[in-house]
């Protein structure tokens, strides 16, 4: 099997979806800026969208897909356009996160081709970060930054590759997909370890391309497995397989996901780092679970021999998130509680807009498989 019939889904899915749409409508009435992190009853916001503006526009576009409400469509268009200046942002690799869930999702749902130009420009800007010697995308900092900025790659970049594949399909220019495929092979070689855990960061000499070391920024250590990074890897490799048909990428997504399944706690929501020595007395990252749930549902459509396993695991994560991590009954404006942005920076146990987005995305994969998210 590759897809379940939406009418046979357990009732918590429609309850969770109704609650999520309600929260999105409420947030729409109160937000002036892009939400990122929810704590003490309010969102911490940015006016330019930080790396998470696409997750807010993504929630709006999914709300439109579920309701057909023209007021929500209007709002999704307005918030999407607010990200337009970021198409020229040369200081970050996160242009995939920003443009895929705003301009590309808007284009997919409305057919409006005026969304395309900014997404193509964002891909051209992202392509400037590709280091051909080291075969990686520079993650953070300006293009002319310090050697350590110019030589730093992170696992999260796997999520920024779909914009490049789409741009090649749209423009016919092969270089974007070639860079994406090269980056994915570099991640396999440099971030992924023999046990299928991943490092958050890898450092290279930016001028010779020589690999220096595995490191971390948001995980516990250079040798640990940061749970959100592992989820980004599963998701990114599944999408690379969908775009290329290269079985190496499907094999990677399968093994990276299997690593999680072996290490998830009984309630299927990971601690912030799989290797924390304080487990079970440490904080969770509900966003890692929602990303992994959505990625597992994608994998169920691709790894058809194991589709039932991926579907079952995703349902267990979603049910646990809904029953034990949902915000209902609190005054928090997010959908899910107990995310961890970065424990090393003392930022933990709060709501995260991307945790909310991938939760709703997973619910949408189940209820609207025809969207092929
Ligand atoms: N991409 C940044 C993060 O996952 O926190």
């Amino acid at each position: 099997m590759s897809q379940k019939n939406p009418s046979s889904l357990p009732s918590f899915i429609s309850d969770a979806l109704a609650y999520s749409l309600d929260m999105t409508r409420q947030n729409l009435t109160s937000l002036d800026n892009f939400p990122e992190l929810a704590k003490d009853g309010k969102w911490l916001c940015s006016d330019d969208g930080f790396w998470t503006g696409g997750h807010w526009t993504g929630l709006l576009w999914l709300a439109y897909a579920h309701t057909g409400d023209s007021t929500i469509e209007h709002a999704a268009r307005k918030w999407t356009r607010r990200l337009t200046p970021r198409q020229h942002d040369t200081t970050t690799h996160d242009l995939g996160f920003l443009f895929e869930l705003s301009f590309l999702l808007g284009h997919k749902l409305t057919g409006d081709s005026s969304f395309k130009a900014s997404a193509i420009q964002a891909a051209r800007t992202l392509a400037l970060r590709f280091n051909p010697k080291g075969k990686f995308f520079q993650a953070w900092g300006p293009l002319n930054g310090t050697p350590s900025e110019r030589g730093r790659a992170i696992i999260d970049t796997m999520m920024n590759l779909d914009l490049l594949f789409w741009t090649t399909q749209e423009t016919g220019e092969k270089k974007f997909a070639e860079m994406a495929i090269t980056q994915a092979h570099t991640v396999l070689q440099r971030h992924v370890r023999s046990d299928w855990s991943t490092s958050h960061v890898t450092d290279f000499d930016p001028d010779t391309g020589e690999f220096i070391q595995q490191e971390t920024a948001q995980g516990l250590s250079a040798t640990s497995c940061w749970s959100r990074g592992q989820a980004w890897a599963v998701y990114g490799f599944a999408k690379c397989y969908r775009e290329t048909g290269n079985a190496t990428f499907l094999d990677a997504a399968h093994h990276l996901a299997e690593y999680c399944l072996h290490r998830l706690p009984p309630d299927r929501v990971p601690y912030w780092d799989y290797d924390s020595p304080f487990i079970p007395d440490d904080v969770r990252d509900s966003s890692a679970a929602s990303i992994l749930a959505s990625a597992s549902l994608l994998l169920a459509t691709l790894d058809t021999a194991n589709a039932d396993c991926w579907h079952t695991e995703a349902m267990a994560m979603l049910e646990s998130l809904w029953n034990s991590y949902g915000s209902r009954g609190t005054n928090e404006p997010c959908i899910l509680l107990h995310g961890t942005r970065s424990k090393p920076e003392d930022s933990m146990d709060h709501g995260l807009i991307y945790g909310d987005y991938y939760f709703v995305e997973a619910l949408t994969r189940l209820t609207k498989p025809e969207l092929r998210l």
Side-chain angles (χ1 to χ4, degrees):
M1 71 114 246
S2 60
Q3 306 265 310
K4 297 278 185 195
N5 180 351
S7 64
S8 66
L9 292 168
S11 60
F12 84 86
I13 296 293
S14 53
D15 294 345
L17 198 48
Y19 178 75
S20 301
L21 295 176
D22 196 39
M23 292 300 282
T24 303
R25 281 187 197 274
Q26 282 182 37
N27 283 321
L28 191 50
T29 61
S30 60
L31 284 169
D32 295 324
N33 281 315
F34 289 97
E36 185 221 344
L37 184 154
K39 202 163 178 99
D40 301 329
K42 48 184 190 301
W43 284 106
L44 179 79
C45 293
S46 66
D47 63 0
D48 72 347
F50 187 36
W51 70 275
T52 56
H55 298 101
W56 170 233
T57 56
L59 277 167
L60 293 174
W61 282 120
L62 293 185
Y64 168 60
H66 284 285
T67 61
D69 183 335
S70 59
T71 311
I72 298 182
E73 183 195 356
H74 181 77
R77 285 179 178 273
K78 187 191 85 177
W79 282 93
T80 290
R81 287 206 193 89
R82 255 181 84 166
L83 292 173
T84 307
R86 301 294 300 277
Q87 67 189 305
H88 300 295
D89 184 349
T90 54
T91 66
T92 179
H93 70 130
D94 283 322
L95 297 177
F97 279 117
L98 287 167
F99 283 79
E100 185 184 352
L101 304 180
S102 53
F103 290 80
L104 293 194
L105 193 51
H107 174 245
K108 184 191 257 269
L109 294 178
T110 65
D112 182 344
S113 54
S114 71
F115 285 125
K116 289 189 198 175
S118 293
I120 292 170
Q121 178 54 50
R124 294 198 189 287
T125 306
L126 178 57
L128 299 175
R129 306 186 76 74
F130 188 71
N131 180 318
K133 284 219 172 101
K135 302 185 168 57
F136 67 90
F137 280 93
Q138 177 188 338
W140 296 315
L143 297 171
N144 63 353
T146 62
S148 61
E149 281 174 327
R150 290 191 294 115
R152 183 150 275 208
I154 64 172
I155 195 80
D156 321 28
T157 301
M158 289 303 301
M159 295 297 284
N160 290 318
L161 304 184
D162 235 31
L163 175 68
L164 299 170
F165 286 120
W166 175 85
T167 302
T168 285
Q169 283 156 20
E170 203 55 40
T171 64
E173 293 175 56
K174 291 194 172 55
K175 68 173 183 185
F176 299 104
E178 284 167 1
M179 287 178 194
I181 291 167
T182 304
Q183 166 77 23
H185 282 295
T186 299
V187 169
L188 271 180
Q189 193 185 359
R190 300 303 187 192
H191 288 260
V192 178
R193 308 185 183 110
S194 57
D195 65 354
W196 292 97
S197 68
T198 52
S199 70
H200 180 203
V201 170
T202 53
D203 288 319
F204 297 83
D205 180 318
D207 299 315
T208 65
E210 188 192 342
F211 170 73
I212 299 172
Q213 62 189 1
Q214 293 193 341
E215 243 305 349
T216 197
Q218 285 163 266
L220 176 74
S221 74
T223 56
S224 75
C225 185
W226 175 48
S227 61
R228 192 160 64 250
Q230 187 78 9
W232 292 142
V234 176
Y235 199 136
F237 277 105
K239 281 219 162 167
C240 274
Y241 172 67
R242 186 163 81 175
E243 295 308 318
T244 62
N246 183 335
T248 303
F249 298 148
L250 181 61
D251 186 61
H254 175 113
H255 284 101
L256 290 158
E258 209 169 45
Y259 175 91
C260 302
L261 300 190
H262 289 142
R263 300 206 66 189
L264 285 172
D267 79 354
R268 317 315 275 159
V269 175
Y271 293 88
W272 71 286
D273 191 296
Y274 286 107
D275 294 303
S276 163
F278 302 112
I279 292 172
D281 299 317
D282 207 348
V283 288
R284 308 293 183 122
D285 181 11
S286 57
S287 76
S290 64
I291 297 159
L292 188 59
S294 190
S296 299
L297 291 172
L298 173 60
L299 203 46
T301 67
L302 304 170
D303 184 16
T304 45
N306 300 293
D308 281 333
C309 162
W310 301 127
H311 183 90
T312 302
E313 288 294 342
M315 294 302 282
M317 287 178 234
L318 293 173
E319 189 163 15
S320 179
L321 285 170
W322 172 242
N323 286 334
S324 308
Y325 294 78
S327 66
R328 57 201 187 287
T330 73
N331 70 344
E332 295 299 335
C334 49
I335 299 167
L336 297 180
L337 307 173
H338 308 306
T340 292
R341 177 170 62 177
S342 178
K343 192 171 181 200
E345 293 164 273
D346 211 19
S347 184
M348 56 199 159
D349 204 14
H350 41 227
L352 289 166
I353 194 70
Y354 36 98
D356 289 1
Y357 172 77
Y358 292 102
F359 182 65
V360 177
E361 186 187 83
L363 300 175
T364 308
R365 286 189 193 283
L366 290 164
T367 51
K368 289 194 166 294
E370 69 279 9
L371 290 182
R372 204 174 168 269
L373 293 172

